Amino acid sequence: MKKPRQSLSSLFLNKVPAAEREHIRHLEEIQKVHEGRPFHFDDGNLRIMYLNPKCMQSAMKLDAPDELVCAYSRTVMGLLMFHPQPRHILLIGLGGGSLVKYCYRHLPDSRITVLEINADVIAMRDLFMLPQDDERLKVIHCDAVTHLQINTYDADVLLLDAYDENGLVADLNTAEFYAICHSNLQADGIMVANVWGKPSALAGMLSRLRQQFARQVNWARSPDSYNLIVYAIKGVLNQADENAVKALSDQNPGLQFSELKEHLLSLPLSAEYSSTEKELLALKQSLATIMVPDANVPQNYADWKKQVGE
C-alpha cells in the first residue's frame, strides 16, 4: 500500500468535494491579487495563512488568537517535557506566529527570537495578532542559514518550523546546518523540528540529526496530519517522568503530554549500525509504523474545520 505523504499543509489536495473546489477557486482568485505571494483568508472565526491555495501555513481563531489550533503545534510544545523552563527560544520560521504567541503568553520568563526569510509573512504579523517586538520578542527578517553563520545565540530551545509546499527545505536539511543549530544551543538545549515529506527524506533527516546530537533524537507524528515532530536533545537526555508530565499537563491544559509521551519513538541509544544504510533502514521501518493511512486525519477542508471546532 502506498504510504501517505500529506501534511496539514497538503491534506486538502485530494478528495475535494464540489463546494471545496469552489473554495479553492476563490483562494486562487485571492492569490492572483497577491501575485503569488502568501496571503490570508477569513472564514467565519478562522483566519488562515496560505502559501498557495492548496497549502495552508497557519490558522488562528479570531476570538482566541493565542490558542494552538493545529495539533502539530501542540505536539511541538512537547519540548516542555525535555526543557520545562527555557530562557531563550530561537524560532526559525514565523508563519502565522501560533508558536510565538503561545510561548510569549505561557512562558513569561522566556525571550523569543524569530528568524523569517519572507517579508510578506512578517508583513502579516498584525493580522495574526502577534505582539510587537519588545525586550522579550524580536522578529528578524533574514535567511536563517546565512544569519546563523555570522550570529551566535545561546538558545535553550531551537524551533525549526520552516517548510514549503514540497516539504523539507533543502538548505535547512543538511549536516552543516544541523551543526550550526547545535552550536547555537546551550549545553542542555533541545532542537525541535516540524517537518513533512517523503519517508525516505524524513529518514535521512533523522539520520543526520542522530549523528549531530549523539543519537538522542525522538519523534512522533502529529495526531491531525502526517507532520513529523522531531526532538533532538543536546547534552544529557532529561525526559520528564510520569509525575512531571502530569504537572506539566496541569499547567498547560490541552497539550496532552501523557498521550504524546506514549507515542514518542526513537532508536535505542545503544544501537550501533555498521553502515548508514542499515541505520536508514531502521529509521524507515520506524517511520513506517506511523506514516500509515489514519482515519483521524481530515481528508479535506470541511473535515478539518469540524475537527478544530469551527
Side-chain angles (χ1 to χ4, degrees):
M1 180 181 294
K2 186 177 181 180
K3 297 182 179 67
R5 289 185 286 144
Q6 60 199 131
S7 70
L8 179 65
S9 310
S10 61
L11 56 83
F12 310 133
L13 290 174
N14 303 309
K15 301 182 180 180
V16 182
E20 295 188 30
R21 287 199 295 271
E22 181 60 32
H23 172 69
I24 290 176
R25 281 194 289 270
H26 180 56
L27 294 178
E28 289 172 343
E29 291 300 317
I30 298 176
Q31 188 184 42
K32 287 180 183 178
V33 175
H34 290 268
E35 300 178 337
R37 300 189 303 274
F39 62 94
H40 84 282
F41 172 73
D42 286 355
D43 184 4
N45 189 42
L46 289 172
R47 175 164 291 168
I48 305 170
M49 182 185 292
Y50 287 91
L51 298 179
N52 63 51
K54 297 179 181 178
C55 188
M56 176 191 291
Q57 204 290 330
S58 188
M60 177 185 77
K61 291 183 179 180
L62 293 170
D63 64 355
D66 295 341
E67 180 181 328
L68 294 176
V69 175
C70 302
Y72 82 81
S73 57
R74 298 192 291 274
T75 306
V76 167
M77 291 309 301
L79 68 92
L80 295 175
M81 292 194 301
F82 302 96
H83 208 307
Q85 295 180 320
R87 293 155 296 179
H88 185 196
I89 299 170
L90 177 62
L91 200 156
I92 299 175
L94 175 64
S98 299
L99 291 167
V100 173
K101 289 182 291 185
Y102 188 89
C103 292
Y104 189 87
R105 177 178 178 182
H106 294 278
L107 301 174
D109 295 326
S110 298
R111 286 188 300 120
I112 306 165
T113 303
V114 186
L115 310 181
E116 171 58 52
I117 194 170
N118 194 323
D120 294 311
V121 169
I122 296 175
M124 285 191 274
R125 65 182 292 177
D126 289 344
L127 286 169
F128 284 85
M129 304 183 193
L130 270 77
Q132 295 300 309
D133 282 12
D134 58 18
E135 67 278 2
R136 289 187 54 217
L137 173 63
K138 186 174 184 180
V139 178
I140 302 171
H141 177 213
C142 67
D143 180 319
V145 176
T146 303
H147 182 83
L148 292 177
Q149 288 174 340
I150 57 178
N151 294 274
T152 302
Y153 292 90
D154 57 349
D156 300 288
V157 175
L158 190 156
L159 298 181
L160 178 59
D161 191 22
Y163 57 85
D164 59 24
E165 55 268 32
N166 298 313
L168 290 166
V169 177
D171 288 347
L172 304 181
N173 183 31
T174 66
E176 292 76 16
F177 179 68
Y178 295 144
I180 291 173
C181 291
H182 187 273
S183 67
N184 278 276
L185 285 169
Q186 292 276 10
D188 61 347
I190 177 174
M191 173 180 169
V192 186
N194 166 42
V195 295
W196 69 277
K198 297 179 180 179
S200 58
L202 295 176
M205 176 194 189
L206 293 177
S207 178
R208 283 184 281 276
L209 284 172
R210 278 172 51 81
Q211 292 177 37
Q212 183 62 61
F213 285 83
R215 303 198 298 274
Q216 296 190 130
V217 180
N218 295 262
W219 52 91
R221 206 203 77 200
S222 170
D224 69 346
S225 68
Y226 296 103
N227 289 50
L228 189 73
I229 312 303
V230 184
Y231 311 88
I233 296 91
K234 182 177 180 179
V236 179
L237 180 63
N238 186 26
Q239 187 173 338
D241 60 23
E242 186 174 337
N243 291 333
V245 167
K246 184 181 183 304
L248 282 169
S249 298
D250 292 341
Q251 296 164 13
N252 302 273
L255 292 188
Q256 301 174 320
F257 290 108
S258 296
E259 182 178 345
L260 172 58
K261 192 172 187 294
E262 292 177 2
H263 288 87
L264 282 175
L265 297 175
S266 64
L267 297 184
L269 284 175
S270 59
E272 295 281 354
Y273 296 94
S274 58
S275 67
T276 301
E277 289 72 20
K278 289 187 177 180
E279 182 189 50
L280 284 172
L281 178 60
L283 291 168
K284 289 177 184 177
Q285 289 172 340
S286 174
L287 291 171
T289 66
I290 55 175
M291 296 301 189
V292 295
D294 186 345
N296 293 318
V297 175
Q299 295 299 305
N300 52 58
Y301 179 66
D303 289 346
W304 176 77
K305 281 186 66 178
K306 292 178 183 176
Q307 189 177 81
V308 301
E310 294 295 327

